[in-house]
Structure formats: C-alpha cells, structure tokens
Amino acid sequence: MTSPIDFYFDFSSPYGYLASHRIDKIAERHGRSVTWRPYLMGVVFKINGRTPLREIPLVGDYVRRDFSRSARLHGVPFNAPSRLPISGVAASRAYYWLYDQDPQKAKALAQALYGTYFVDDKNIAEPDVVAAVAESLGIDSGAVTEALQDADVKNRLRQETDAAIARGVFGSPYVVVDDEPFWGNDRLDQVDRWLETGGW
Amino acid sequence: MTSPIDFYFDFSSPYGYLASHRIDKIAERHGRSVTWRPYLMGVVFKINGRTPLREIPLVGDYVRRDFSRSARLHGVPFNAPSRLPISGVAASRAYYWLYDQDPQKAKALAQALYGTYFVDDKNIAEPDVVAAVAESLGIDSGAVTEALQDADVKNRLRQETDAAIARGVFGSPYVVVDDEPFWGNDRLDQVDRWLETGGW
C-alpha cells in the first residue's frame, strides 16, 4: 500500500489548482507520495459531450462564486483569471519533458505554472510564458521552447492523456488511491479518510 | 439570522437523498430550521442543456460508485434503484399539498418517499405508491390521489419550480443559507461551517 497516489488535473482547471495546494500534504500525512499527471481534459469533453461547468447557464455563476469561496476556505491564493479556459498543452508538455529528467523539479514547475495562471493571471497557454516560468526555476528557457515543439514530447502528452482516459479519468482534479477513484476538489477529505482507514 | 435554510432537491436525485439525511441535523446544531423545497430538476436541464451525470460516459460509472460510497461514509441506508431517474412529479405534488396543511408532516412524507425509492426500490413516480406511503403515515390515500390531479396542486409545484429557477437553483441538493448558495451533497460540511461562522 505504498504506491504513489495519482493526481490527474488540467492546467486550466480552477478546482485542479485548488487541489494542487492540498494533495501532497494529505498524502504525506499517511506516508504516501503523489505523482502529478496533467492531461488534456478537453479531449474527454469531446468524447463524452460534456460542457465545462462555468459555460452552463445558472451553473456558471455559481461555480465562479464557488471557486473563490473554496479558495478562501482553504487559504489558497486565487485570482479569477481573465481568460478561462486556456489550453494546457504547452504547460503539460513542459511538465512531462521535465518529469522524464527530474520528477520533483517537474512538480515544482507545475506548481509555479498553476500560480502564474491562477494568482498572477498570466496566460500559460503561451509557450513564452511557460519558458519564462521555467527560467525562474533555473531551467534553460531555450531548451523548454525547443521541447514544446519536439515530436517525442508531443507524443508523450498524447499518450498520457490517452492512458488517463483509458483508466476512466474524466475530471480535474481526479485522484486515484490504490485503484479507488475520487473526482473533485470536494473529495479530498474523503481521500484523506481513505488513506487513513483503507476504505469504508 | 434565524430565517429557515432552504433545501432544494429532486425526488429522483441520489445526492439529494443523501443530503436529506443530514441537512436538518446540521441546521439544528446552529438553532436553525430547514424548509424542504422539492422541485423538478428536469425543467432546469431543459433550460440549460445539462445531462444528468449518470448518463454521461465515464462519469456515469463513477457516480454510481460514488453514490454507494458516500452513503456508506455517512451511514445512510442506500440501495441503487433499479429505475433511475424517475419523475418526481407525483411525490412533489403530494408534498406541497400536505405542506400547505402541515409542514412538519409534509417533511415526514418526503423522508418516507425518499426511503421508499432509495432503500425499498419502489417507484415513487407512480401515484399509487405515493398514496400508499402517505397512508402509512396516517394520511388518507384517497385524498392524496385526488390532490395529485388537482389543478391548484399542479400549479403549486409549477410555481415552486419556477421560483427555484428564478432564484438560480439548478442542482440537487442545493441549499441556500441567508442568500448564500451551496450546491451538492459534498458542500454540506461548508454549510455547517457557514452556519457556525457566518461566512469566511
């Protein structure tokens, strides 16, 4: 029972961002690590015909209110981005490119990218923004820019997204603990309890 | 700050059923009462084009698992109904007809109807089933059957559903505390905290 927890998320997802501030602390309390797995939720939406909550009448107003309220509740810095959604392609490619060299540094990059988007309101869909964030972490920005157009890197993200969907992943955040799936930032307390008790 | 909490739900909603077991206890802890407000969520779905979660590929399998898991977590008896969804029209009409005579008894009827559907797996879309449940609570079943076809009663439910939608209600459960909206069974802990603190 010591395999890593899988944390699936889309870089454009406010609830994924909120969960990113809590998931590692929860896992650590139970002696577990977390593998961060960004993927492209838009691919799922094309498959199952869903629409992002914030684009649905009535629901949109509610979730915009809920993003901020949930952030305040958990003490997570949050500024509603002026552009939402954005493409998570560049951020996700940079993540996997770095992950294959240094998983811990890749997690730090993902955290920095999430903050750049959901706190600083900068558009992480732009390769230049991703490269600048990487540079601030001591990663060569030229290498990042090059990697974003690399066929193997592109393919890596495609495979990760396909593997996520094949596993039944459809939302963000979506956490898998020993094959038990939990969808949503509002399931993190259940994740905590599941790790504590091994199930119920 | 002592006005009742509004608890909106659809009789066909598993998460509404789960919340129905907890909402009054949460409110009582803070000296508050709860007005139960069944409405027809299908009318909202027609307006905003949503699809019930359980009918969406990938999502459906997850939520069916989550219904049972959430019920177990909170110690709520739950058997997945063989028919889902069903129409909540008969149950909701009976509720409002009784509510206008005796609000407390109407709540008892709603609780019994929810249990009949989500524990006993009987189809509460059928007027005869609704009448039999009412009879078990000492309510004249003939009067119920008649009420279900009464033009005023029909209109009452229509108005309640329209009023809910006009207020921005779109889901089940959907709880409003002093104009602050909370959507989902998984927001009840936040409802509890909001009642405790007056907000955050």
Side-chain angles (χ1 to χ4, degrees), chain A residues 58, chain B residues 8-11 37-47 88-89 92-93 96 153-171:
Chain A
L58 297 177
Chain B
Y8 293 92
F9 64 97
D10 186 292
F11 272 108
R37 298 186 177 279
Y39 79 109
L40 303 178
M41 200 162 55
V43 177
V44 182
F45 280 26
K46 271 181 202 154
I47 291 171
V89 169
S92 303
R93 283 182 188 161
Y96 284 111
V153 173
K154 290 180 181 181
N155 201 36
R156 179 84 164 81
L157 174 58
R158 215 172 287 125
Q159 285 171 349
E160 287 287 340
T161 296
D162 289 348
I165 295 168
R167 197 180 187 181
V169 174
F170 57 83

Side-chain angles (χ1 to χ4, degrees), chain B residues 63-100:
Chain B
V63 295
R64 275 184 285 275
R65 179 181 194 136
D66 188 65
F67 294 156
S68 302
R69 190 176 60 188
S70 292
R72 291 199 309 276
L73 178 64
H74 293 292
V76 176
F78 177 82
N79 294 307
S82 33
R83 274 184 219 80
L84 190 74
I86 48 111
S87 161
V89 169
S92 303
R93 283 182 188 161
Y95 173 85
Y96 284 111
W97 167 75
L98 192 58
Y99 182 88
D100 291 339

